[in-house]
Amino acid sequence: MLELGQICLIAILSVVICIVVLSIISKVEKRQIEKIKREMSTEDIEKIGNPEFQIYDENNNFLIGTSYIYEIKEDTNRYEIKLIFGYDSFFKPIKEFVTNTIYMDKETFKEKNLQAGQIVKTLHNRSGYAPYGIKQIL
């Protein structure tokens, strides 16, 4: 049976390991975002950086924003669409950019005629558990 000191040591080590892992993940995400932004035009970065979110009339739990499609992958029965968008952070005085992935069936994808490098209107979740997460391309 473990003593109290051993349990505390394990708990402290677990917290430290979690902090290190989260820090590494954050740095990797920031590098990915910077790489995507380097491949975009200045105008496109400005458009998605100032999305001026609007409340979605049909359901006020969602917002309408602007996103940039940076990658599309075809799967067997759907498409994986990777997007980037910007928003004002409540905690930092700078614009935050976030990537998000959505999936779309092939028929809808072809109807919308989507392609990488395109700026699209997107529906974003307002809820606390997934703030600004993209639900779909409008």
Side-chain angles (χ1 to χ4, degrees):
M1 192 150 170
L2 296 174
E3 294 180 19
L4 183 59
Q6 292 172 322
I7 292 172
C8 288
L9 181 61
I10 292 170
I12 290 169
L13 286 174
S14 298
V15 169
V16 169
I17 290 170
C18 286
I19 290 170
V20 169
V21 168
L22 290 174
S23 175
I24 291 169
I25 290 171
S26 176
K27 286 180 184 180
V28 168
E29 287 175 359
K30 286 180 184 179
R31 284 187 193 136
Q32 179 189 18
I33 288 169
E34 290 306 314
K35 179 181 180 252
I36 295 165
K37 286 171 56 181
R38 281 192 303 272
E39 296 170 359
M40 296 171 62
S41 71
T42 306
E43 295 82 20
D44 287 345
I45 293 170
E46 287 177 16
K47 285 179 187 175
I48 67 165
N50 299 305
E52 298 179 8
F53 288 99
Q54 300 169 359
I55 295 175
Y56 184 55
D57 290 335
E58 296 178 30
N59 184 341
N60 65 3
N61 289 323
F62 296 96
L63 299 169
I64 297 173
T66 306
S67 302
Y68 177 87
I69 300 173
Y70 69 89
E71 186 177 334
I72 298 172
K73 292 182 180 177
E74 186 175 1
D75 201 355
T76 53
N77 58 352
R78 64 184 182 174
Y79 282 90
E80 177 183 49
I81 304 168
K82 296 186 178 205
L83 303 121
I84 184 171
F85 64 94
Y87 69 95
D88 290 321
S89 174
F90 296 112
F91 306 108
K92 297 178 184 176
I94 59 170
K95 278 279 181 229
E96 290 285 326
F97 286 87
V98 179
T99 60
N100 215 203
T101 301
I102 64 163
Y103 298 91
M104 185 179 292
D105 65 82
K106 289 187 174 186
E107 184 177 318
T108 305
F109 180 84
K110 288 184 180 168
E111 287 173 10
K112 292 185 183 272
N113 195 27
L114 300 173
Q115 53 191 303
Q118 185 177 7
I119 292 181
V120 292
K121 289 290 181 190
T122 43
L123 190 62
H124 298 256
N125 195 335
R126 288 178 73 180
S127 71
Y129 67 89
Y132 296 103
I134 298 174
K135 179 175 173 45
Q136 70 184 46
I137 295 173
L138 297 176

